[in-house]
Amino acid sequence: MDTGGEEESLLKKFYIPSYILLPDRNDDGVPEAVPECPVLVFINSKSGGQLGGDLLLTYRSLLNENQVFDLGEKAPDEVLRSIYMNLEKRKSDGDEFAADIQGRLRIIVAGGDGTASWLLGVVCDLKLSHPPPIATVPLGTGNNLPFAFGWGKKNPGTDRQSVVSFMKQVIKAKEMKIDNWHILMRMRAPKQGTCDPIAPLELPHSLHAFHRVSPTDELNVEGSHTFRGGFWNYFSMGMDAQVSYAFHSERKLHPEKFKNQLANQSTYAKLGCTQGWFCASLFHPSSRNIAHLAEVSIMRSHNEWEKLDIPPSIRSIVCLNLPSFSGGLNPWGTPHSRKRHERKLTPPFVDDGLIEVVGFRDAWHGLVLLAPNGHGTRLAQAHRIRFEFHKGAADHTFMRIDGEPWKQPLPVDDDTVVVEISHLGQVNMLATRDCRAKSIHDPSMPSHHEDEDEDNNEIEDSVGDEWRKFGAADTFKIPDGVDISHLS
């Protein structure tokens, strides 16, 4: 069997000639047939230890090296803007091949959740008429975005066979729209000091779009600092973000210790203990619990705000768009039909314009996610949510967007810091047949009744043996070598 010939035939389906990618190239050597699935590949060579660099070399050996980009060398906005300008120019010159390439173009991004979010943000900002759908290669620690769309959560192989196998999935993957969420943060300009968002040692990729608006922006308010950004998976605040911040800060200071996904997850879990996430009732000041930190309001319809009552014991709150958090867990679950009727709750669709708001008391509470039908404390589903922070509770809190955390100063005078999240359009993802994200518009979606909660409240206070076999929950997992008796 001529496997080499089969592979060559397959790779032609992805290959993009250089004249499409480089404005100064002529169109000599144009293939007779338009590739079925032309791809641009973006790889964070610093992700996954050595894996990112190895993956970069393999993709460049399989495809035109001009269609494979190292994010450590070139920013995706610069790359995509140049390529699309060239495509438009070629199309205006009557190049039908270029037009077909643009219509079929797909993107592969390899990195952590922050890297994937960075690409999604760039594609959104470019406001393309037909934005290319994106497939995500899991190279990070949590890999929530790839897991939600069926691409897995374990770091992939970087050899030729593994990459070809992944590309076969890309060509079969279906397009799926997901909601895009806008986040706005506003605070009064302080008389002294600053309330600016502070990132861990350097600004994470997914927060590059989280920037101060210009004086001419309609969101700008005189006498205030206003920042804006976006996310696709989740915004979280409280102790889970504090643990994540400790992990990212440690990784920035000692990158040599973080070259293996398993070791990273173990370190993450140990930090959960040292930060007090498992012993929150003993070490975490109640003044930092969500209800004490902020007044929370939601908008269920499109024009009326209502106060959201947060239980006083909640130390972490997650505003979730996808059914994948902390390494693939689903904090919302699927509400039982009775709860759907009484509390007007729905399953977690990724394209329904609603964000799920879930609370956790501590890491022990989070372990219920590892049991069948486990879920956190469901607080609300909303089109918009607003947090208002006032002076007095604490001088800072921790926040996280799609896996990227920062330490956020809170008011020191009589100022108010406001964080508001609202729906802002949709983006295109690529999903495999193992996709866990569900679309409200997909009639082929399996029945949700199979995964419904038991019709009682016991699930929040009990954890079965299943969690002991589940290794993906970095935030809630108890690390090996920790004596549980000393955590109670």
Side-chain angles (χ1 to χ4, degrees), residues 164-182:
V164 169
S165 177
F166 185 89
M167 292 171 70
K168 287 179 179 178
Q169 291 188 76
V170 171
I171 205 168
K172 296 176 182 177
K174 65 176 182 179
E175 290 192 35
M176 185 175 185
K177 290 189 177 297
I178 65 168
D179 292 324
N180 174 24
W181 293 90
H182 177 260

Side-chain angles (χ1 to χ4, degrees), residues 305-475:
W305 288 101
E306 60 180 272
K307 181 180 178 181
L308 181 63
D309 291 323
I310 308 291
S313 60
I314 296 296
R315 297 180 177 89
S316 181
I317 193 168
V318 183
C319 301
L320 191 71
N321 186 38
L322 304 179
S324 184
F325 176 75
S326 191
L329 303 179
N330 182 2
W332 186 258
T334 302
H336 189 273
S337 54
R338 181 176 64 82
K339 295 178 183 178
R340 295 188 213 176
H341 177 74
E342 293 177 355
R343 296 185 57 195
K344 298 180 181 179
L345 302 178
T346 71
F349 299 112
V350 299
D351 55 354
D352 59 357
L354 293 173
I355 197 164
E356 284 70 44
V357 186
V358 187
F360 293 99
R361 297 186 294 273
D362 50 31
W364 295 109
H365 184 193
L367 288 176
V368 301
L369 301 183
L370 304 176
N373 300 325
H375 59 83
T377 299
R378 297 187 184 108
L379 299 173
Q381 285 176 302
H383 292 284
R384 301 174 73 177
I385 181 168
R386 182 172 64 206
F387 301 87
E388 293 186 26
F389 303 87
H390 300 282
K391 175 187 174 184
D395 60 1
H396 69 272
T397 187
F398 295 89
M399 298 180 181
R400 184 162 60 144
I401 295 177
D402 286 354
E404 303 284 6
W406 74 97
K407 182 179 179 180
Q408 174 60 45
L410 295 179
V412 293
D413 297 320
D414 294 329
D415 303 328
T416 299
V417 173
V418 176
V419 175
E420 186 171 316
I421 295 168
S422 56
H423 186 257
L424 184 68
Q426 294 181 326
V427 293
N428 296 323
M429 296 294 291
L430 285 172
T432 75
R433 59 186 302 173
D434 297 323
C435 175
R436 290 172 175 261
K438 302 299 181 184
S439 168
I440 196 170
H441 302 295
D442 188 353
S444 64
M445 196 173 59
S447 170
H448 291 283
H449 297 285
E450 299 173 2
D451 300 318
E452 284 184 350
D453 301 337
E454 295 296 329
D455 195 13
N456 56 55
N457 296 319
E458 295 177 3
I459 190 64
E460 293 199 14
D461 299 308
S462 66
V463 181
D465 291 334
E466 287 300 314
W467 71 271
R468 304 179 193 277
K469 306 172 186 176
F470 195 96
D474 307 320
T475 305

Side-chain angles (χ1 to χ4, degrees), residues 34 75-76 249 279 298 384 388 442 482:
V34 179
S249 297
C279 314
I298 61 171
R384 301 174 73 177
E388 293 186 26
D442 188 353
V482 175

Side-chain angles (χ1 to χ4, degrees), residues 153-164:
K153 61 193 171 196
K154 293 183 179 179
N155 293 163
T158 60
D159 60 282
R160 189 180 186 95
Q161 183 177 352
S162 298
V163 170
V164 169

